[in-house]
Amino acid sequence: MDHEPHSAPSDQELEFLSQEMPALARLRDFARLAESVQWFSDLGTPLRKSVREIARAYLDGLGFPDVHMARLHSWEEAAAAGESLDWDTEGWEAEEGLRAALTTDALEQLSQEALEVGLAYLFSAIEDPIRQAVLTAAAIWGEDDEELLAAAMGAALQAAHCAALAVVAEEDDETHPFIHRFRLFERGRWPVSLAGRTYNIF
């Protein structure tokens, strides 16, 4: 049986692929890490020293050194804190600025197509674990507000997405705010909102 010969990649294409492989490998490794996170497993508990230190590093890196942390005790409080995002957008705007800058930096490491494929791989790896974690936490707490549960899941997916951009862009894991925010989720928490001078953590 005859087969059409495959055209060999050019030297330029091979060079481009070799340049992308390290960034793709970092993204793959991050996806595996994110898949194993115990999402939403420590909601409502007192804010341990390690959690406070991570949150402080996040706030300082984002440009809010004067903001203090507040522990949310219930899904109801989380819902109320989440509503602040509708009128207090200062924290969201700061994060969006960082995300845009990271996307530019990530595209220096990967092509647009490769970045999209890598992020799609991340999403496929973590979507179901996060959904199951949200449902488990909701069952433990007796929470059935579907809109609120969807918000929790969306927050986790967004945190992983933004942290992945930092990983691809080779940002320092010890300093970037998006890595710190992801680490709050790693510890089973849900950082819900930055409202006024308060960072609300469930």
Side-chain angles (χ1 to χ4, degrees):
M1 180 178 289
D2 293 332
H3 294 279
E4 284 191 23
H6 294 287
S7 60
S10 67
D11 290 345
Q12 184 178 8
E13 288 171 329
L14 285 174
E15 176 65 20
F16 188 65
L17 285 172
S18 69
Q19 292 173 355
E20 290 195 323
M21 287 305 295
L24 285 173
R26 291 195 300 275
L27 187 50
R28 176 205 60 202
D29 292 343
F30 177 76
R32 291 174 177 173
L33 168 67
E35 189 176 7
S36 66
V37 166
Q38 299 299 304
W39 302 93
F40 303 104
S41 60
D42 205 26
L43 300 177
T45 62
L47 300 180
R48 297 181 178 87
K49 180 182 178 182
S50 61
V51 170
R52 290 184 174 277
E53 289 174 346
I54 294 168
R56 175 50 55 200
Y58 162 78
L59 291 167
D60 289 350
L62 198 62
F64 297 94
D66 57 336
V67 168
H68 69 274
M69 288 153 262
R71 165 195 172 193
L72 302 176
H73 297 77
S74 67
W75 286 88
E76 183 178 14
E77 289 186 3
E83 290 176 358
S84 68
L85 295 174
D86 293 334
W87 52 268
D88 191 338
T89 62
E90 188 177 11
W92 177 85
E93 289 171 357
E95 286 187 345
E96 280 298 288
L98 276 183
R99 187 190 60 78
L102 268 185
T103 300
T104 299
D105 292 343
L107 289 173
E108 293 180 359
Q109 303 292 328
L110 290 174
S111 66
Q112 179 74 43
E113 181 180 9
L115 181 59
E116 290 175 357
V117 169
L119 292 175
Y121 171 77
L122 170 68
F123 184 86
S124 67
I126 66 177
E127 181 185 17
D128 190 60
I130 291 175
R131 178 185 293 108
Q132 293 304 318
V134 169
L135 293 175
T136 297
I140 291 171
W141 286 78
E143 180 58 54
D144 59 3
D145 185 331
E146 293 185 2
E147 185 175 344
L148 180 57
L149 301 183
M153 182 173 177
L157 288 170
Q158 183 201 45
H161 173 98
C162 291
L165 289 176
V167 169
V168 170
E170 292 190 289
E171 292 291 338
D172 190 335
D173 286 0
E174 299 302 317
T175 61
H176 200 279
F178 286 158
I179 297 294
H180 293 310
R181 183 176 61 170
F182 177 77
R183 286 177 174 164
L184 291 175
F185 280 98
E186 271 193 295
R187 281 155 179 76
R189 309 313 294 250
W190 175 14
V192 177
S193 67
L194 172 58
R197 299 296 96 185
T198 302
Y199 190 44
N200 298 295
I201 302 173
F202 187 18

